[in-house]
């Protein structure tokens, strides 16, 4: 299958040579090359011919003649074309002019050392178990792999991530900074949360025919009942949108955040003379459920919030969902995690912090940036967030709480450190030294 290519991958950093003053170019031949690339490769031949005709007509009228700096010309052409297809992108890099020095060729660097996919862990940026036993996978790209080869690095990376969250009560997949990549990864990851053989996968339409996004190898242990949340933003593009779109339409995941970028049509870069390249979409997906795709409009969230708040929102939604069926100690842990999320956004307690500050045996209660915290020897300080009354949650560790005690005169005399499974220890406050 032809891979998706994200705009992020295409927008590679300019070399030092390209930052310097670029040599001037004649715009009209470049525009002709871009037009020909579109006419020859765009998945919709009629539309491709029409777009190419528009560019040629504009060039003939001198619309691009003033853009003799190749960087400016690339930007202008990209801006002109992108509204027609969100994958259109024109880039330029200076042709290499370095002559090989005399003598033996230098030894080639190991291929792995320069592999951006390996260095990016094949898109798996972070996997974490969040408070309340929520699985979190931060995916920054969908790395390509071929089915039928179980030991490929990209496949092993996503399988390792899924294995780490295999025992969680809900899963959150973060695509807010994911520009896309491989449709193979889309199909395989979808199969980790949906029934085998479900008719939910996009079919790509090319000039040469069609091909389904359904995986050729199915994930062996799909989690069909675990609550699933997918985070999106305006930077979510291409294959990342395909995953969100498929799971949303299958009613398998709740999409949280902002509408995605709206780049549905896969393709690849086509070289043009003079160091120019244009990304041309050579296919277009169609969902069996919606009979269309997300081009232009993007994938619309089920829960619309600013992307910066999407994770906290999804965490709260997940915990609320899990609580509906949880019981016993696990329900207590889930409830505490939900209350901790709310406490993170709450203002500091209105009670005087000085009431709590002091020594409690081996533990000191101190003030840190307008909050109180526990300090024990050289251990990291634990900030306490107010829950109401005399109860506080430990920031970042919602299964732990601190409950202070006061005497009849209102003075704080002790606190109890408790855990969601019922454990606890009590620490009495030492008397203040006589003045």
């Amino acid at each position: 299958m032809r891979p998706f290519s994200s705009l992020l991958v295409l927008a590679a950093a300019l070399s030092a040579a390209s930052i310097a003053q670029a040599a001037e170019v004649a715009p009209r031949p470049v525009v002709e090359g871009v037009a020909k690339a579109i006419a020859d490769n765009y998945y919709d031949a009629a539309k491709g011919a029409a777009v190419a005709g528009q560019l040629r007509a504009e060039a003939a009228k001198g619309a691009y003649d003033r853009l003799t700096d190749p960087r400016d010309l690339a930007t202008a052409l990209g801006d002109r074309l992108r509204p027609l297809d969100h994958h259109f992108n024109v880039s330029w890099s200076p042709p290499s002019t370095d002559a090989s020095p005399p003598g033996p060729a230098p030894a080639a660097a190991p291929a792995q050392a320069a592999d951006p996919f390996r260095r990016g862990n094949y898109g798996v940026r972070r996997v974490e178990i969040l408070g309340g036993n929520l699985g979190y996978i931060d995916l920054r790209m969908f790395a390509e792999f071929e089915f039928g080869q179980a030991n490929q690095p990209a496949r092993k990376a996503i399988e390792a991530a899924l294995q780490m969250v295999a025992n969680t009560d809900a899963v959150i997949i973060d695509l807010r900074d994911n520009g896309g990549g491989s449709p193979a990864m889309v199909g395989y990851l979808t199969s980790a949360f949906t029934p085998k053989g479900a008719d939910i996968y996009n079919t790509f339409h090319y000039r040469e025919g069609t091909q389904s996004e359904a995986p050729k190898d199915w994930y062996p242990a799909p989690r069909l009942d675990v609550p699933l949340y997918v985070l999106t933003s305006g930077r979510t593009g291409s294959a990342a949108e395909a995953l969100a779109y498929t799971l949303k339409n299958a009613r398998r995941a709740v999409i949280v955040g902002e509408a995605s970028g709206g780049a549905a049509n896969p393709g690849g870069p086509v070289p043009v003379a003079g160091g120019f390249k244009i990304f041309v979409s050579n296919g277009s997906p169609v969902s069996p459920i919606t009979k269309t795709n997300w081009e232009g409009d993007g994938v619309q969230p089920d829960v619309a919030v600013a992307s910066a708040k999407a994770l906290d929102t999804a965490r709260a939604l997940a915990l609320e969902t899990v609580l509906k069926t949880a019981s016993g100690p696990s329900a207590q842990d889930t409830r505490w995690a939900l209350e901790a999320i709310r406490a993170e956004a709450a203002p500091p307690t209105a009670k005087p912090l000085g009431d709590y500050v002091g020594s409690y045996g081996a533990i000191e209660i101190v003030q840190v940036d307008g909050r109180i915290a526990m300090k024990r020897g050289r251990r990291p300080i634990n900030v306490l967030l107010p829950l109401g009354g005399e109860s506080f949650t430990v920031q970042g560790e919602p299964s732990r709480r601190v409950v202070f005690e006061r005497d009849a005169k209102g003075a704080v005399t002790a606190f109890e450190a408790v855990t969601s499974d019922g454990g606890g220890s009590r620490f009495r406050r030492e008397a203040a030294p006589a003045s």
Side-chain angles (χ1 to χ4, degrees):
M1 182 178 290
R2 305 183 187 194
F4 284 99
S5 294
S6 72
L7 297 179
L8 180 61
V9 173
L10 289 175
L14 291 174
S15 66
S18 68
I19 296 174
Q21 180 63 39
E24 290 189 353
V25 297
R28 294 194 186 195
V30 174
V31 177
E32 171 57 31
V34 168
K36 186 177 187 306
I38 295 172
D40 291 349
N41 296 280
Y42 197 67
Y43 75 93
D44 183 331
K47 182 177 178 180
V51 172
Q54 293 169 13
L55 286 178
R56 286 167 173 146
E58 292 166 0
K61 293 179 181 179
Y64 304 101
D65 286 353
R66 64 182 179 82
L67 300 172
T68 57
D69 187 310
R71 299 166 296 184
D72 296 337
L73 180 58
T75 299
L77 288 171
D79 290 345
R80 166 67 178 86
L81 293 167
R82 201 165 296 113
L84 306 177
D85 184 307
H86 279 53
H87 265 107
F88 273 138
N89 185 60
V90 180
S91 61
W92 174 83
S93 58
S96 176
T97 58
D98 294 338
S100 298
Q112 282 192 332
D115 183 352
F117 298 102
R118 182 187 68 84
R119 291 178 64 83
N121 197 36
Y122 305 96
V124 182
R125 175 66 63 88
R126 181 159 58 107
V127 184
E128 188 175 353
I129 308 302
L130 304 176
N133 197 34
L134 304 181
Y136 173 74
I137 302 175
D138 182 1
L139 279 178
R140 300 301 177 94
M141 66 176 174
F142 287 178
E144 174 69 11
F145 68 89
E146 296 292 332
F147 288 114
Q149 302 178 40
N151 289 325
Q152 289 187 87
R155 178 169 174 172
K156 290 173 66 176
I158 196 63
E159 287 177 344
L162 290 169
Q163 183 60 39
M164 184 169 174
V165 301
N167 297 311
T168 55
D169 295 331
V171 174
I172 300 170
I173 300 177
D174 193 343
L175 303 179
R176 288 176 293 177
D177 289 303
N178 191 315
S182 165
M185 186 68 79
V186 175
Y188 194 57
L189 187 52
T190 299
S191 76
F193 298 97
T194 56
K196 184 177 181 179
D199 186 20
I200 60 177
Y201 295 91
N202 300 308
T203 295
F204 291 95
H205 293 254
Y206 302 102
R207 289 190 183 189
E208 302 86 352
T210 62
Q211 189 164 1
S212 173
E213 198 170 48
K216 295 179 182 177
D217 296 338
W218 300 82
Y219 188 73
R223 302 193 66 193
L224 303 181
D225 299 323
V226 62
L228 181 62
Y229 300 83
V230 176
L231 311 186
T232 59
S233 76
R235 297 183 65 182
T236 307
S238 196
E241 295 178 275
L243 179 71
Y245 192 74
T246 299
L247 292 173
K248 173 186 171 72
N249 293 325
R251 299 185 183 278
R252 182 59 191 89
V254 177
I255 312 302
V256 182
E258 300 172 354
S260 63
N265 303 324
V270 179
V272 179
F276 288 86
K277 287 188 297 186
I278 176 172
F279 188 103
V280 180
S281 298
N282 56 24
S284 185
V286 176
S287 163
I289 299 172
T290 66
K291 311 304 181 184
T292 184
N293 60 43
W294 60 95
E295 177 66 27
D297 295 331
V299 182
Q300 301 301 310
D302 298 303
V303 180
V305 296
S307 62
K309 297 182 179 180
L311 178 55
D312 285 345
T313 301
R315 288 170 60 199
L317 290 170
L319 292 168
E320 289 169 356
T321 299
V322 172
L323 268 178
K324 294 176 182 178
T325 57
S327 61
S330 63
Q332 173 90 317
D333 186 65
T334 302
R335 186 176 299 105
W336 279 23
L338 180 58
E339 292 171 354
I341 291 174
R342 294 167 178 165
E344 288 173 4
T349 178
K351 295 180 181 180
L353 298 182
D355 286 4
Y356 307 100
V357 172
S359 296
Y360 298 74
I363 297 178
E364 290 184 77
I365 300 296
V366 297
Q367 292 191 47
V368 177
D369 297 330
R371 295 193 184 274
I372 57 172
M374 291 192 301
K375 180 180 179 182
R376 184 167 190 166
R378 295 186 295 107
R379 297 182 184 180
I381 288 177
N382 294 128
V383 175
L384 305 181
L385 305 178
L387 294 167
E390 301 297 339
S391 296
F392 294 75
T393 183
V394 178
Q395 187 175 44
E397 299 185 47
S399 62
R400 297 172 58 196
R401 287 188 173 182
V402 168
V403 181
F404 289 94
E405 301 173 12
R406 294 179 183 265
D407 61 18
K409 296 181 179 180
V412 175
T413 57
F415 73 79
E416 186 176 10
V418 295
T419 57
S420 59
D421 61 4
S425 301
R426 189 167 183 268
F427 298 86
R428 294 183 60 83
R429 188 175 191 176
E430 297 178 0
S435 56

